Amino acid sequence: MSPFTYARAADAADAIRRGGEAQTKYLGGGTNLVDLLRETLERPAALVDVTGLSNAIEERADGGLLIGAAVRNTALAEHRAVRTRYPALSRAIVAGASAQIRNMATVGGNLLQRTRCTYFYDDDGSRCNKRQPGQGCDAIDGFNRIHAILGASPACVATHPSDMCVALAAFDAVVHLRGAGGERTILLNDLHRLPGDRPDLETVLEPGELITAVELPALPFAARSTYRKVRDRASYAFALVSVAAALELDGGTVKDVRLALGGVAHKPWRAWKAEAALRGRPATVENFRAAAEAELVDARPLTHNAFKIELVRRTVAAVLGELMEDHP
Amino acid sequence: MPILVNGTEVEPPADPRVSLLDFLRERLELHGTKLGCNQGACGACTVLVDGSERILSCLALAVQYEGRAITTIEGLSGNGELHPLQAAFIECDGFQCGYCTPGQICSAIGMAAEIRRGVPSHVTADLAADSIALDHDELRERMSGNLCRCGAYNGIVEAIRETFASEGAAK
C-alpha cells in the first residue's frame, strides 16, 4: 500500500469537508477498498472513514424505507421491513459475498465497489482502460466468460459486481448525495455509467461527493419479489447472471412488473424493455421468455460469454414463473 | 483510543495501513489468527468483534477498530478450558492440517449468534419466519466463507452441529 492518512468523519459535514481534498477516498467497511489499496490499484493520499455516519433504517409512513449509507449489509438483509416488503433485496444481499464480508460491508460502499474483471486486477500483466485510460483492454479478446453482454464498449467489457444493487435498481431506489455544492438525489439507475470511451469514470458522482443514504420508495407489490443468482458454485461466487424481479398480477394478466439483471453489464441493468413488453400481457412462460428476448435485442456476446444470453432468457422466465406460482 | 484484544487494551498502530490481521500476528504475536489469501476469499483470518460479530481481519484496517473488542482464537479458552466448539473439533476430527481451524471456529461462533438473531441466509426458504433452524444446508451455506483445503468439511460440520444445533433450532 502507498502511504495515506486516516481520519474518522465526525458527521456528514465533516466528511465532505475532508473528502473535498484532492486524492481522498471515503472508507466504508473496506471489503473492496482495502483489497484495492493492497493491490495498489487505489493510491489515495487520505482515507476518511464514514462508517460512523448514519446506520439507521427509517420506516416511512407510506411504507418506503430510508437506509443510512453506513448500514451494514447484514443489518439491511435481516431488517424485518426489508424481509417482508422488499424480499428481493434481502435475497440479493445474502446471495453476495460471505457472512463475514456482509457484516463489514456498508450500503454506500456496496454501490461504489469496483469490477472484479481479472484484467483490471492484473496490473503487472494486462492492459486495462479502466485502470489506465487509453491503454487498451485485454478482456475483449481474452478469457471473457464473466464479462458483459449489454451496454459494453470497445474500451471496456467489465461488469458491475454487486448483487444488492440489482435489487435496488428494480425497486427504483433513490441515492441521497451530499457534496460541497449541497445535497441532491439521483436514481440508482442513473448513478452508474456505461463504459463508453471513459470506463475509468464509473459513476456520475462529483469529486468529493458522499452517498449519505439510499431510499426505497413505497412499492406494495415488491412484497412479491425475489432474486435469483446463477454462479459457478453454490455459494460465495460472483454472478454469471442474476435477476431481481417483482410481479403484480390481475387475474392472469401482468398488471405491473419490475425486472433488473446483474452480471451482464457495467452497471446494474434495469430491464425496461422487458418490463414494457410484459405490462398488460398474459402472464405466461412464453411471454416471460419473449420479454427477456426484447431486453436482449441489443446483446453483443464476446468469444466466451454467449451462454449468458440463453442464461438470461431462462433465468428471467424461471424467476417470473416462480413469482406467478406464488401468486394467490 | 485503544483496541481491546482478548480483554487486554492495546494501542492501535501508528501506521493506518496495518491490517487488523497483521496487527494481531506481527505486533501482538497472536499467531492463532491465520493469513490465508489476504484478499477476503478464504476466511482463515476470521475474528470476532464485540463478542460475536465475525469479520475478516485481512480486509480490516486495525485503526478502524479503535474502541472495539476483538476476540481471536486465543481469547476463546480460559483457565485451561477449551471452548466447547474447540473440544468438538477435536472430538469430530474437524481438521487435518489445522490451518483454517481458528477461522472456522471464530466464524461458527459468529454464525450461531446470527442464527439466534434470525439473520436469513441464501438458503432460507421463508424470509418472514421468526426463527431459523440450523439444518445441514443452512450450516453449510452460512459457513461457505471459510474454506478448508484439506477437505475436512464433514468433521467441521459435525463439530458445529453438535455444539450449536440445539440452541439454533430451539427457538
Side-chain angles (χ1 to χ4, degrees):
Chain A
M1 293 186 204
S2 305
F4 51 78
T5 63
Y6 169 88
R8 290 188 197 203
D11 52 35
D14 184 37
I16 60 165
R17 189 177 53 75
R18 293 174 184 277
E21 301 291 322
Q23 292 193 298
T24 298
K25 297 284 289 185
Y26 294 119
L27 175 65
T31 56
N32 187 210
L33 183 52
V34 170
D35 191 35
L36 293 168
L37 292 169
R38 191 171 280 139
E39 298 288 337
T40 66
L41 297 176
E42 298 275 8
R43 300 179 198 84
L47 290 184
V48 178
D49 186 337
V50 291
T51 56
L53 304 190
S54 173
N55 65 357
I57 300 174
E58 192 182 313
E59 299 191 40
R60 294 282 176 80
D62 65 357
L65 295 175
L66 185 69
I67 303 154
V71 170
R72 307 287 174 165
N73 287 8
T74 302
L76 187 57
E78 74 174 299
H79 195 279
R80 174 149 282 278
V82 179
R83 285 189 280 141
T84 55
R85 291 184 215 160
Y86 305 92
L89 178 55
S90 277
R91 293 227 179 268
I93 293 169
V94 298
S98 68
Q100 291 96 315
I101 289 173
R102 295 191 295 269
N103 284 340
M104 303 170 78
T106 63
V107 167
N110 187 303
L111 268 50
L112 297 183
Q113 66 180 303
R114 307 198 67 188
T115 185
R116 287 347 188 260
C117 171
T118 44
Y119 298 94
F120 168 69
Y121 265 83
D122 183 20
D123 197 10
D124 295 332
S126 303
R127 297 175 304 153
C128 175
N129 288 318
K130 187 182 280 298
R131 211 183 330 102
Q132 196 172 320
Q135 189 181 41
C137 168
D138 278 337
I140 289 177
D141 294 314
F143 293 98
N144 48 35
R145 70 184 288 278
I146 66 169
H147 290 78
I149 55 170
L150 288 164
S153 75
C156 181
V157 293
T159 58
H160 194 262
S162 172
D163 292 290
M164 187 182 86
C165 284
V166 181
L168 294 176
F171 295 147
D172 296 302
V174 177
V175 183
H176 290 233
L177 303 173
R178 184 165 168 176
E183 298 181 12
R184 64 174 177 142
T185 59
I186 59 170
L187 286 169
L188 177 91
N189 285 310
D190 296 331
L191 174 69
H192 300 97
R193 294 179 71 258
L194 287 177
D197 57 4
R198 288 298 304 274
D200 54 312
L201 300 177
E202 295 172 352
T203 71
V204 300
L205 293 183
E206 300 291 335
E209 209 166 21
L210 175 71
I211 296 172
T212 56
V214 173
E215 183 182 350
L216 280 174
L219 186 69
F221 79 95
R224 188 166 293 103
S225 67
T226 195
Y227 183 78
R228 188 178 296 192
K229 180 176 185 177
V230 184
R231 44 187 162 175
D232 279 329
R233 55 185 184 194
S235 186
Y236 204 11
F238 290 97
L240 294 169
V241 162
S242 70
V243 173
L247 183 65
E248 183 175 34
L249 297 180
D250 182 1
T253 301
V254 175
K255 188 177 174 196
D256 206 352
V257 61
R258 295 286 184 278
L259 203 57
L261 307 175
V264 295
H266 198 254
K267 57 183 289 183
W269 189 267
R270 178 69 175 270
W272 304 103
K273 290 174 188 162
E275 291 181 13
L278 276 172
R279 282 195 191 91
R281 302 269 297 169
T284 64
V285 171
E286 294 71 33
N287 284 343
F288 297 157
R289 218 178 141 85
E293 205 65 59
E295 194 63 46
L296 291 163
V297 72
D298 296 323
R300 296 286 177 272
L302 302 162
T303 329
H304 302 294
N305 70 0
F307 73 96
K308 285 193 178 187
I309 291 180
E310 179 60 16
L311 200 51
V312 168
R313 287 191 198 111
R314 293 186 190 193
T315 312
V316 166
V319 166
L320 291 173
E322 179 188 323
L323 291 171
M324 181 172 67
E325 296 291 315
D326 290 345
H327 219 280
Chain B
M1 203 186 313
I3 306 173
L4 197 64
V5 177
N6 298 332
T8 302
E9 285 189 355
V10 294
E11 285 306 313
D15 187 336
R17 292 176 295 178
V18 176
S19 71
L20 181 59
L21 173 63
D22 287 345
F23 182 65
L24 293 168
R25 288 181 58 85
E26 309 297 331
R27 310 290 173 92
L28 304 182
E29 299 187 345
L30 292 169
H31 297 125
T33 307
K34 294 297 187 278
L35 169 69
C37 68
N38 213 27
Q39 57 179 10
C42 77
C45 68
T46 303
V47 298
L48 296 165
V49 180
D50 296 338
S52 63
E53 181 180 284
R54 51 179 166 165
I55 65 157
L56 297 179
S57 60
C58 78
L59 293 182
L61 298 177
V63 287
Q64 286 194 282
Y65 290 84
E66 284 181 12
R68 309 284 295 276
I70 305 296
T71 307
T72 70
I73 190 77
E74 291 91 343
L76 290 176
S77 52
N79 304 324
E81 293 272 324
L82 292 179
H83 185 283
L85 185 58
Q86 291 176 302
F89 263 70
I90 295 168
E91 183 66 28
C92 300
D93 289 329
F95 47 84
Q96 286 182 35
C97 82
Y99 198 80
C100 73
T101 311
Q104 298 279 1
I105 288 175
C106 288
S107 184
I109 290 168
M111 179 200 68
E114 289 160 16
I115 278 271
R116 283 195 289 271
R117 217 164 70 220
V119 178
S121 86
H122 175 59
V123 299
T124 305
D126 181 7
L127 287 186
D130 286 325
S131 67
I132 299 161
L134 186 57
D135 62 23
H136 187 74
D137 289 346
E138 283 281 3
L139 197 161
R140 289 180 63 92
E141 163 60 25
R142 287 166 188 274
M143 290 299 295
S144 68
N146 291 84
L147 306 188
C148 169
R149 294 202 67 179
C150 301
Y153 293 111
N154 290 339
I156 292 168
V157 168
E158 183 65 22
I160 296 169
R161 192 175 52 205
E162 266 193 14
T163 308
F164 293 119
S166 57
E167 60 179 307
K171 277 175 64 177

